[in-house]
Amino acid sequence: GAGRVLRAGEVVVPVAAAGDAAAEARLRARGILPGSDMRIMGLRLPGTSGSTEEQEIFSTESVPPARRGDVRVLLRPTDRAAMRDDVEYPIIVEARELPVLLSRFAAAAFFPRIVALAATDLAAVALAIAAATAPLPLAIAGRELLSLYVIPSTSMAPTLAKGDVLLVDKRHLSAPPRRDDIVLFRPPDKLRDLLPQNARDGVDRGDLFVKRVAAVGGDKRIRVDDDGNVFEDGAPLARDRSLCDDEPLGLIRRLIASGVRDVEEVSDDSVYVLGDCGKVSVDSRVWGTLPVENIEGKPIARVWPLSRAGVVR
């Protein structure tokens, strides 16, 4: 962890080096499940010369490399199933205590994440394996018409929780997207440019994003205030998006400050999309409107977990 740049709000995957059982045991002792997705809730740089004061920082990029190991990292699992009753969150550890921190989009994180998911939700892994090993005709149908999509983040909470499995209709859209539709899409260039390189690699392999349509072609005078609230002609544009509290250091406000604050009119070939969790969602407020041609499908239903299975709205 001390060797790479860390940013508040980032989701990382702590793992131990291959074969390092002692390092894995140390992570578990601190309440960290190796291979699980952990959000960096904050970063604190200790004072020097015996000072007990700590400075809240947004990134370790400006911290001298020799001091990055001293930075205290506040971590919390993004999946409640990975939380332990005997651990107080966020977990606070020094960066040097985290041997390897991977991006969740990194190829090296795939197997550790599967192992961690199996430890918390074995049935979800079994469902994914069943879909991946389906007979060829079903696989072709899944690729061209229907597919399963696992929600990777909290940006659509509480409607869609991280780990939810959706059945997605990938057929050609017979009608333009409507307000309040949930859509899966390929990232436009402006969003892709915001991603780290390993995340871009995932996009190149076909990874999709999910948001809700808040405005469509012809809608005018979209404005975003300093707190990230969105208005159309002075009236609130979207449903209540303040139902989640996973926001480290005002991250989204930093992105919105340099984002797309004003859209005079949404063009006919695009839509304005937002995440249901406005406090963490990187959406049209940051990178602008979404071309309709980038939309790959719409969710038909949630198929997992069974306790929440049903139509998604």
Side-chain angles (χ1 to χ4, degrees):
R4 57 162 289 182
V5 173
L6 304 177
R7 293 178 176 84
E10 179 182 12
V11 176
V12 294
V13 182
V15 299
D20 193 342
E24 182 170 330
R26 286 193 295 271
L27 288 175
R28 292 180 182 275
R30 297 303 301 270
I32 298 172
L33 175 63
S36 62
D37 289 4
M38 306 283 288
R39 186 177 295 279
I40 299 178
M41 304 301 298
L43 298 166
R44 299 174 182 171
L45 179 63
T48 56
S49 303
S51 172
T52 58
E53 293 186 1
E54 293 183 324
Q55 177 187 357
E56 294 277 359
I57 59 175
F58 177 68
S59 166
T60 60
E61 189 170 15
S62 60
V63 177
R67 294 207 61 206
R68 288 181 182 174
D70 300 333
V71 172
R72 287 156 60 84
V73 185
L74 284 67
L75 294 171
R76 190 177 79 185
T78 61
D79 186 353
R80 293 189 179 276
M83 294 184 177
R84 286 170 29 186
D85 293 338
D86 61 336
V87 175
E88 183 177 347
Y89 296 98
I91 300 165
I92 303 177
V93 297
E94 291 185 349
R96 63 170 54 88
E97 297 180 65
L98 302 167
V100 181
L101 285 179
L102 302 174
S103 163
R104 57 181 167 165
F105 299 104
F110 176 77
F111 183 71
R113 294 180 79 204
I114 290 294
V115 172
L117 179 60
T120 57
D121 195 343
L122 183 58
V125 175
L127 180 63
I129 292 174
T133 57
L136 183 59
L138 293 180
I140 293 174
R143 183 172 63 249
E144 301 298 330
L145 303 177
L146 301 171
S147 68
L148 295 177
Y149 177 78
V150 181
I151 298 298
S153 72
T154 59
S155 70
M156 283 294 292
T159 307
L160 301 174
K162 181 181 179 297
D164 282 0
V165 181
L166 306 181
L167 181 64
V168 177
D169 183 354
K170 298 175 63 178
R171 294 172 298 177
H172 179 71
L173 298 174
S174 58
R178 298 173 298 179
R179 282 187 184 231
D180 227 28
D181 280 353
I182 296 176
V183 295
L184 287 89
F185 59 91
R186 304 185 313 276
D189 291 341
K190 288 183 179 179
L191 172 54
R192 195 176 189 279
D193 291 343
L194 295 173
L195 302 174
Q197 184 57 54
N198 46 23
R200 295 180 193 177
D201 294 340
V203 167
D204 292 340
R205 294 192 298 269
D207 289 356
L208 301 176
F209 289 72
V210 59
K211 302 295 178 193
R212 186 184 296 277
V213 176
V216 297
D219 288 341
K220 299 180 179 180
R221 290 178 287 280
I222 309 297
R223 303 285 185 265
V224 181
D225 69 14
D226 292 340
D227 292 324
N229 302 307
V230 187
F231 301 86
E232 180 186 5
D233 265 343
L237 177 61
R239 60 171 64 192
D240 184 3
R241 303 171 64 245
S242 61
L243 301 178
C244 55
D245 58 2
D246 190 10
E247 190 212 8
L249 295 182
L251 171 65
I252 194 63
R253 289 188 180 89
R254 296 170 185 260
L255 294 174
I256 289 172
S258 58
V260 182
R261 303 288 296 271
D262 299 288
V263 175
E264 193 58 33
E265 181 174 359
V266 180
S267 64
D268 290 337
D269 59 354
S270 64
V271 290
Y272 192 93
V273 296
L274 300 171
D276 283 3
C277 181
K279 294 181 179 179
V280 302
S281 177
V282 179
D283 45 38
S284 286
R285 299 172 298 171
V286 177
W287 43 265
T289 55
L290 170 70
V292 170
E293 66 180 9
N294 283 45
I295 297 176
E296 291 286 319
K298 299 179 181 180
I300 300 173
R302 178 176 19 240
V303 298
W304 190 263
L306 293 179
S307 61
R308 301 177 63 227
V311 177
V312 176
R313 292 186 174 87

